[in-house]
Amino acid sequence: MPLPRRTRVGIVGAGPAGLLLARLLHGHGIDCVVLEGRDRAYAERRQRAGILEQGAVDALRACGAGARLEREGLAHEGVELRFDGRSHRIDFPSLTGGSRVWVYAQTEVVKDLIALRIADGAPLLFEAEALAVEGAGTGRPVVRYRHAGRDLTLECDYVVGCDGSHGVTRRSVPEGASRTFGRSYPYSWLGVLADAPPVYDELVYAHSPRGFALASMRSPTVSRLYLQVPNGEDPAAWPDERVWDELDSRLASSGSRRLERGPVTARSVLPMRSSVTEPMRFGRVFLAGDAAHIVPPTGAKGLNLAFADVAVLARAFGHLARTGSADLLDAYSDTCLRRVWRAEHFSYAMTTALHTDPARSPFDGRLQLAQLHRIADSPHAAAEFAHNYTGHFPG
């Protein structure tokens, strides 16, 4: 197949956001080309998020990408909070009118969307490193990229950057045309995958004097687990026994079960940060997902926000194709940022309530417990938590 030289929408990045956008545009009959700098194997194995909100699941089902999710995804109707020696379950359906979340790894979402894209015979170029996006403020932006040792160009009517916070698309916005708001946190996550069956049916979030811990899963036989660690921590400093001992200590509460132990197959340290770039558009270049905003992973919002972005964008492109009106495209940034900032606030609140800041005072510690007790004891606060976690963000 000859390499495309021109397209309606050029998508930089074949992560879940770029691939879902391509799938949605295909459904609208809008041609697009997806460029991904890594090879297919890398794209399909990079470990990222694992929790899908109701809206993300609905979007995958609606575009024909939900078949394997239906068979293998794990529906969760709540989460458990552990703190101050007690456990409290937040029941999502009863508090939200029926919403839930699904455990289905980002790697599996990417595999599903890649398979559909290839089956459609639609352009998806791996090992196509985007070098620059030029002409963002013109009517014909161009993506310069390198593929198979050749420097090539792709002329576009529009470019969508789904290439992350360090991608080239953000750099196409002239200095002074956007502003980024952000903060870093004084701790990181050690994330591990283990060949050990989860002992809990739902996610367990734990606040303890020793630091935060999270017990999650990838499948009925694979656990995904997290520990709060200092920034700059070396994953090699955490052999298997230390990981399991620390998890058991932090997750302990009255009547709780100890984790099923097994070999740790992967470990990495994830810094915690928040950032939002405004606006999410310059000229004919749009930013989506991590290219526009980062959230700490505590609230499971990163992938879901990215899906929400591209769903808004796909509707806007479909509206333009049907009516000739760019009204929805022009409103894209404002529409998305309302949801982004609500998710940022929820993620920040969850992160600061559950983690142990090394510089906290005893007063700060008591405030954290007061906030967690409020969620556990107040039906109103529990409902707000449930709506936010499942992605509804009530006013």
Side-chain angles (χ1 to χ4, degrees):
M1 178 186 297
L3 293 175
R5 296 185 177 182
R6 195 182 188 295
T7 188
R8 181 72 165 154
V9 181
I11 301 172
V12 183
L19 290 166
L20 179 60
L21 177 60
R23 180 68 179 171
L24 296 174
L25 293 179
H26 181 78
H28 285 293
I30 299 169
D31 70 286
C32 62
V33 174
V34 184
L35 304 175
E36 169 57 47
R38 304 281 193 160
D39 62 23
R40 180 177 177 179
Y42 179 89
E44 291 184 339
R45 70 171 181 264
R46 51 188 165 196
Q47 292 293 332
R48 293 292 189 272
I51 302 295
L52 298 178
E53 295 172 356
Q54 182 80 56
V57 171
D58 292 344
L60 290 169
R61 287 169 171 164
C63 74
R68 197 157 66 93
L69 166 63
E70 297 283 1
R71 296 194 306 271
E72 301 176 16
L74 305 174
H76 282 200
E77 298 194 343
V79 297
E80 185 178 329
L81 301 179
R82 292 186 179 177
F83 58 93
D84 205 17
R86 64 181 285 188
S87 298
H88 185 85
R89 182 174 181 270
I90 307 295
D91 185 84
F92 294 153
S94 67
L95 292 164
T96 64
S99 291
R100 51 185 54 81
V101 296
W102 276 256
V103 173
Y104 190 66
Q106 176 174 313
T107 50
E108 307 311 309
V109 174
V110 167
K111 289 174 187 175
D112 295 342
L113 290 169
I114 286 175
L116 288 170
R117 184 78 178 165
I118 291 173
D120 289 336
L124 169 57
L125 277 64
F126 291 104
E127 300 181 84
E129 180 189 4
L131 304 173
V133 177
E134 300 173 345
T138 72
R140 189 67 58 85
V142 172
V143 182
R144 291 197 299 105
Y145 68 100
R146 182 173 293 128
H147 180 69
R150 299 168 58 201
D151 286 351
L152 303 164
T153 59
L154 178 67
E155 289 188 359
C156 312
D157 291 336
Y158 300 92
V159 173
V160 180
C162 300
D163 51 344
S165 59
H166 300 294
V168 302
T169 314
R170 281 185 57 165
R171 298 199 293 271
S172 70
V173 178
E175 186 174 352
S178 66
R179 183 179 179 187
T180 298
F181 304 85
R183 67 166 295 153
S184 296
Y185 297 83
Y187 34 72
S188 298
W189 274 13
L190 172 72
V192 304
L193 279 173
D195 287 338
V199 300
Y200 305 116
D201 295 330
E202 297 170 336
L203 274 66
V204 177
Y205 288 85
H207 166 82
S208 83
R210 299 178 65 89
F212 168 81
L214 169 60
S216 182
M217 62 205 69
R218 284 293 181 264
S219 75
T221 60
V222 176
S223 292
R224 181 65 164 159
L225 303 149
Y226 300 93
L227 287 165
Q228 176 186 338
V229 295
N231 287 337
E233 187 81 339
D234 182 358
W238 287 83
D240 290 17
E241 186 175 3
R242 184 185 180 193
V243 168
W244 292 114
D245 287 347
E246 193 65 25
L247 283 164
D248 278 336
S249 176
R250 298 188 192 185
L251 289 164
S253 68
S254 177
S256 64
R257 290 173 288 170
R258 294 173 68 88
L259 297 173
E260 185 81 23
R261 298 193 175 196
V264 173
T265 59
R267 50 172 60 77
S268 61
V269 170
L270 173 68
M272 308 278 281
R273 62 192 180 100
S274 302
S275 73
V276 179
T277 296
E278 297 184 357
M280 293 170 56
R281 173 193 184 175
F282 177 78
R284 293 201 168 200
V285 172
F286 298 82
L287 303 178
D290 286 359
H293 40 74
I294 301 288
V295 289
T298 324
K301 292 295 164 221
L303 172 60
N304 293 292
L305 277 180
F307 273 12
D309 289 348
V310 299
V312 170
L313 200 49
R315 285 194 295 271
F317 278 124
H319 181 71
L320 175 65
R322 291 191 308 274
T323 69
S325 170
D327 288 352
L328 296 186
L329 278 179
D330 293 339
Y332 166 73
S333 182
D334 289 342
T335 300
C336 289
L337 283 171
R338 286 191 292 272
R339 181 182 182 88
V340 166
W341 278 112
R342 288 301 305 272
E344 290 281 357
H345 179 265
F346 175 69
S347 299
Y348 166 82
M350 244 190 115
T351 299
T352 53
L354 287 164
H355 290 73
T356 302
D357 189 327
R360 74 172 185 168
S361 68
F363 182 83
D364 297 330
R366 300 304 293 178
L367 286 180
Q368 285 181 290
L369 290 175
Q371 174 61 12
L372 292 170
H373 277 287
R374 177 176 178 269
I375 295 170
D377 299 337
S378 163
H380 173 77
E384 182 179 31
F385 179 95
H387 276 89
N388 279 282
Y389 197 97
T390 58
H392 287 285
F393 301 110

